[in-house]
Amino acid sequence: ETGVTQSPTHLIKTRGQQVTLRCSSQSGHNTVSWYQQALGQGPQFIFQYYREEENGRGNFPPRFSGLQFPNYSSELNVNALELDDSALYLCASIRSYTYGYTFGSGTRLTVV
Amino acid sequence: GDSVTQMEGPVTLSEEACLTINCTYTATGYPSLFWYVQYPGEGLQLLLKATKADDKGSNKGFEATYRKETTSFHLEKGSVQVSDSAVYFCALSDRGSSGGSYIPTFGRGTSLIVHP
C-alpha cells in the first residue's frame, strides 16, 4: 500500500492570496476528506468527496473548495486567505467507513 | 449534531503505569468509533476501532470497548512506554439522522506524556 501523500509539506502565503494543496489517496480508496487542524486542536472536517462528487461538508465558508480527480487524487483550494487559515491541513482517504481513515502527514500553511 | 468529548490533558505518567483516557460521544445514528494517535509533526494514525455495541478494539496493547449504554469508548493500556507519548484523538463516523454520507467527528485530543 502506498499510503496518503500530501504536497507541499510547508507553505507560507500572504493574506488575500489563494492556495492549492494536493493529496494522493491510498490505492483502492475512493473517498477522500480534508481537515483543518489548528494548533492544539482536533481535526475539523472541511469536506469529503466520493467518486468525484462532494458528499459532505463541514462548517467552512465557500472560499474553501475542492476537487477529486478520476484517479481519486484531490485538491483543496482556499481563496482570499486570512490569518486564521494558518493551520495543518490533513487529507485522509478511506475504503469503507467502518475501517477508519488513512491520513497523510499534512501541509502546514502559514498565512502572514 | 454529533460530538465527541475527551478528557483534558496533558496526562503525565511514569513508564509502566496504567493509562485511561476517557471519551464520550453523542450521535444521532449508530456510529463506528475510533481512536487515532498523532506523533509530533505527523498526521493521524488509526490506533483501533469498534463498529458496534460491546465490540472491543485493540492494538499495540491499547484497548477500548464500545459502550452504548454509557455512550463511551475509553482508551486503556495496562503498561505505558515512553514511546507512547503522543496526542490521542477519539472519533466517530455516523450517517446521521438524515441518512446521508458518513461524516467524521473528532474530539479535541488528549496529550499523553510518559516519563522514564
Side-chain angles (χ1 to χ4, degrees):
Chain A
E1 292 186 334
T2 55
V4 175
T5 57
Q6 293 186 241
S7 62
T9 55
H10 295 82
L11 201 53
I12 299 174
K13 289 286 190 178
T14 302
R15 189 172 50 183
Q17 285 188 313
Q18 178 267 343
V19 68
T20 297
L21 310 182
R22 294 180 172 84
C23 172
S24 293
S25 303
Q26 182 160 324
S27 177
H29 291 190
N30 56 21
T31 300
V32 65
S33 55
W34 285 89
Y35 304 81
Q36 181 193 68
Q37 186 179 21
L39 204 60
Q41 302 294 317
Q44 296 296 309
F45 175 71
I46 302 175
F47 46 59
Q48 181 164 275
Y49 281 82
Y50 170 70
R51 294 187 175 181
E52 304 175 58
E53 296 285 331
E54 184 181 293
N55 74 343
R57 189 175 182 92
N59 189 26
F60 279 82
R63 61 189 183 85
F64 286 78
S65 63
L67 282 173
Q68 187 184 29
F69 300 100
N71 64 356
Y72 302 138
S73 65
S74 177
E75 287 182 355
L76 164 66
N77 299 289
V78 187
N79 294 321
L81 283 167
E82 301 177 359
L83 297 179
D84 285 348
D85 295 334
S86 296
L88 180 68
Y89 287 85
L90 295 165
C91 169
S93 68
I94 195 167
R95 175 161 58 97
S96 162
Y97 294 105
T98 58
Y99 281 83
Y101 291 81
T102 299
F103 280 82
S105 296
T107 294
R108 173 71 63 187
L109 173 65
T110 302
V111 183
V112 297
Chain B
D2 295 349
S3 67
V4 174
T5 303
Q6 293 181 234
M7 61 188 287
E8 297 233 354
V11 173
T12 304
L13 296 172
S14 298
E15 203 164 27
E16 299 184 2
C18 295
L19 168 72
T20 299
I21 300 178
N22 292 333
C23 171
T24 57
Y25 67 91
T26 58
T28 52
Y30 299 93
S32 295
L33 302 176
F34 307 87
W35 277 99
Y36 288 85
V37 58
Q38 186 175 34
Y39 298 100
E42 299 184 11
L44 279 68
Q45 299 175 24
L46 179 64
L47 180 60
L48 54 83
K49 63 180 175 70
T51 58
K52 61 183 187 297
D54 300 325
D55 269 3
K56 177 186 282 189
S58 61
N59 186 25
K60 299 180 182 179
F62 291 90
E63 293 183 339
T65 300
Y66 190 143
R67 300 286 188 200
K68 195 170 190 299
E69 64 276 12
T70 55
T71 62
S72 64
F73 193 55
H74 305 321
L75 182 68
E76 298 176 328
K77 188 175 186 184
S79 176
V80 294
Q81 305 299 313
V82 172
S83 58
D84 294 327
S85 298
V87 180
Y88 293 81
F89 293 92
C90 185
L92 65 84
S93 282
D94 183 21
R95 190 180 285 276
S97 58
S98 63
S101 60
Y102 284 89
I103 300 299
T105 302
F106 286 82
R108 296 183 63 170
T110 302
S111 175
L112 171 65
I113 302 168
V114 181
H115 294 294

